[in-house]
PDB file of all heavy atoms in Angstrom:
ATOM      1  N   TRP A  34       6.194  16.212  -7.947  1.00 93.00           N
ATOM      2  CA  TRP A  34       7.376  16.226  -8.769  1.00 93.00           C
ATOM      3  C   TRP A  34       7.031  15.968 -10.274  1.00 93.00           C
ATOM      4  O   TRP A  34       7.743  16.463 -11.153  1.00 93.00           O
ATOM      5  CB  TRP A  34       8.413  15.180  -8.239  1.00 93.00           C
ATOM      6  CG  TRP A  34       9.055  15.693  -7.051  1.00 93.00           C
ATOM      7  CD1 TRP A  34       8.819  15.264  -5.766  1.00 93.00           C
ATOM      8  CD2 TRP A  34       9.988  16.806  -6.919  1.00 93.00           C
ATOM      9  NE1 TRP A  34       9.554  16.001  -4.856  1.00 93.00           N
ATOM     10  CE2 TRP A  34      10.248  16.911  -5.544  1.00 93.00           C
ATOM     11  CE3 TRP A  34      10.560  17.639  -7.845  1.00 93.00           C
ATOM     12  CZ2 TRP A  34      11.165  17.895  -5.077  1.00 93.00           C
ATOM     13  CZ3 TRP A  34      11.480  18.583  -7.342  1.00 93.00           C
ATOM     14  CH2 TRP A  34      11.769  18.719  -6.006  1.00 93.00           C
ATOM     15  N   MET A  35       5.970  15.242 -10.518  1.00 92.00           N
ATOM     16  CA  MET A  35       5.577  15.009 -11.895  1.00 92.00           C
ATOM     17  C   MET A  35       4.936  16.252 -12.527  1.00 92.00           C
ATOM     18  O   MET A  35       4.778  16.433 -13.738  1.00 92.00           O
ATOM     19  CB  MET A  35       4.598  13.826 -11.965  1.00 92.00           C
ATOM     20  CG  MET A  35       5.172  12.493 -11.663  1.00 92.00           C
ATOM     21  SD  MET A  35       6.422  11.992 -12.840  1.00 92.00           S
ATOM     22  CE  MET A  35       5.412  11.699 -14.267  1.00 92.00           C
ATOM     23  N   SER A  36       4.492  17.218 -11.691  1.00 92.00           N
ATOM     24  CA  SER A  36       3.759  18.409 -12.201  1.00 92.00           C
ATOM     25  C   SER A  36       4.625  19.240 -13.155  1.00 92.00           C
ATOM     26  O   SER A  36       4.093  19.986 -13.931  1.00 92.00           O
ATOM     27  CB  SER A  36       3.379  19.315 -11.033  1.00 92.00           C
ATOM     28  OG  SER A  36       2.439  18.679 -10.208  1.00 92.00           O
ATOM     29  N   THR A  37       5.937  19.052 -13.222  1.00 89.00           N
ATOM     30  CA  THR A  37       6.764  19.812 -14.082  1.00 89.00           C
ATOM     31  C   THR A  37       6.684  19.222 -15.500  1.00 89.00           C
ATOM     32  O   THR A  37       7.058  19.964 -16.511  1.00 89.00           O
ATOM     33  CB  THR A  37       8.228  19.807 -13.623  1.00 89.00           C
ATOM     34  OG1 THR A  37       8.672  18.489 -13.622  1.00 89.00           O
ATOM     35  CG2 THR A  37       8.365  20.491 -12.311  1.00 89.00           C
ATOM     36  N   ILE A  38       6.219  18.026 -15.637  1.00 89.00           N
ATOM     37  CA  ILE A  38       6.201  17.375 -16.970  1.00 89.00           C
ATOM     38  C   ILE A  38       4.823  16.965 -17.477  1.00 89.00           C
ATOM     39  O   ILE A  38       4.677  16.683 -18.636  1.00 89.00           O
ATOM     40  CB  ILE A  38       7.192  16.207 -17.095  1.00 89.00           C
ATOM     41  CG1 ILE A  38       6.856  15.116 -16.081  1.00 89.00           C
ATOM     42  CG2 ILE A  38       8.614  16.667 -16.938  1.00 89.00           C
ATOM     43  CD1 ILE A  38       7.706  13.827 -16.218  1.00 89.00           C
ATOM     44  N   ILE A  39       3.845  16.812 -16.533  1.00 91.00           N
ATOM     45  CA  ILE A  39       2.518  16.374 -16.927  1.00 91.00           C
ATOM     46  C   ILE A  39       1.430  17.080 -16.169  1.00 91.00           C
ATOM     47  O   ILE A  39       1.707  17.740 -15.115  1.00 91.00           O
ATOM     48  CB  ILE A  39       2.360  14.884 -16.652  1.00 91.00           C
ATOM     49  CG1 ILE A  39       2.508  14.550 -15.141  1.00 91.00           C
ATOM     50  CG2 ILE A  39       3.225  14.010 -17.541  1.00 91.00           C
ATOM     51  CD1 ILE A  39       1.970  13.260 -14.708  1.00 91.00           C
ATOM     52  N   SER A  40       0.223  17.035 -16.718  1.00 92.00           N
ATOM     53  CA  SER A  40      -0.945  17.471 -15.949  1.00 92.00           C
ATOM     54  C   SER A  40      -1.657  16.236 -15.391  1.00 92.00           C
ATOM     55  O   SER A  40      -1.721  15.194 -16.065  1.00 92.00           O
ATOM     56  CB  SER A  40      -1.904  18.220 -16.918  1.00 92.00           C
ATOM     57  OG  SER A  40      -1.345  19.369 -17.389  1.00 92.00           O
ATOM     58  N   GLU A  64       9.224   7.520 -15.390  1.00 93.00           N
ATOM     59  CA  GLU A  64       9.519   8.639 -14.542  1.00 93.00           C
ATOM     60  C   GLU A  64       8.683   8.603 -13.263  1.00 93.00           C
ATOM     61  O   GLU A  64       9.211   8.776 -12.102  1.00 93.00           O
ATOM     62  CB  GLU A  64       9.307   9.956 -15.249  1.00 93.00           C
ATOM     63  CG  GLU A  64       9.689  11.194 -14.478  1.00 93.00           C
ATOM     64  CD  GLU A  64      11.135  11.421 -14.290  1.00 93.00           C
ATOM     65  OE1 GLU A  64      11.977  10.828 -15.005  1.00 93.00           O
ATOM     66  OE2 GLU A  64      11.495  12.137 -13.328  1.00 93.00           O
TER      67      GLU A  64
END
Side-chain angles (χ1 to χ4, degrees):
W34 286 106
M35 291 296 291
S36 294
T37 60
I38 60 173
I39 60 163
S40 296
E64 183 72 18

